[in-house]
Amino acid sequence: MDIEQEIPQLRFRNEYHKAIVNIIFTSNWLQERIRQFLLPEDITSQQYNILRIVQASDRPISTMQIREQMLDKMSDTSRMVDRLVVKKLVEKRMAEHDKRKVAICLTEEGLQVLLRLETKIHEIDNLLNTLTADEVKSLNTLLNSIR
């Protein structure tokens, strides 16, 4: 659906303004669908991002290393890790090389959450199924050009 139909009262100054509004609107649309996807596991998209980062690491990882890899750089990583600890999805251990630091590792419960989500991750990929493979490549190129 065109952005003018999604937000009918909005008038655009020019095509640049329209593109910015369209990107923000689409980002929010995607985030809501991802939120709904993660809702059964009772985790946020930022928490999911942390779990994926910890899973991808070949050894326990610090909160600073997690923050560097997060999609949302404004997130309070320490607070989110603490919430994942309460949910028993990750655990904090003393870092082997520096006892003043903590290292984060995935628990078996955290791994099970990721495995359950992995079995239906195609639902997220399908959010872009109105685009062809070439259009998705073009979209990625355009988004990279913006940044």
Side-chain angles (χ1 to χ4, degrees), residues 78-90:
S78 296
R79 182 179 50 83
M80 281 189 281
V81 166
D82 288 343
R83 287 186 178 163
L84 290 170
V85 168
V86 169
K87 293 179 181 188
K88 297 182 169 62
L89 301 179
V90 298

Side-chain angles (χ1 to χ4, degrees), residues 13-71:
R13 291 186 306 278
N14 52 44
E15 288 297 314
Y16 294 98
H17 176 224
K18 181 179 176 178
I20 289 169
V21 170
N22 210 339
I23 291 168
I24 293 168
F25 185 87
T26 304
S27 171
N28 290 333
W29 180 87
L30 284 167
Q31 287 177 8
E32 175 57 22
R33 271 128 195 99
I34 292 168
R35 188 185 73 74
Q36 291 294 321
F37 174 78
L38 297 171
L39 198 58
E41 296 295 343
D42 191 32
I43 59 172
T44 66
S45 60
Q46 294 92 347
Q47 290 171 337
Y48 178 63
N49 189 205
I50 289 172
L51 292 174
R52 294 293 307 265
I53 291 166
V54 173
Q55 180 188 36
S57 180
D58 57 351
R59 53 182 151 59
I61 185 171
S62 72
T63 53
M64 187 169 57
Q65 291 169 309
I66 292 171
R67 185 176 299 116
E68 290 169 357
Q69 297 179 48
M70 297 252 335
L71 296 176

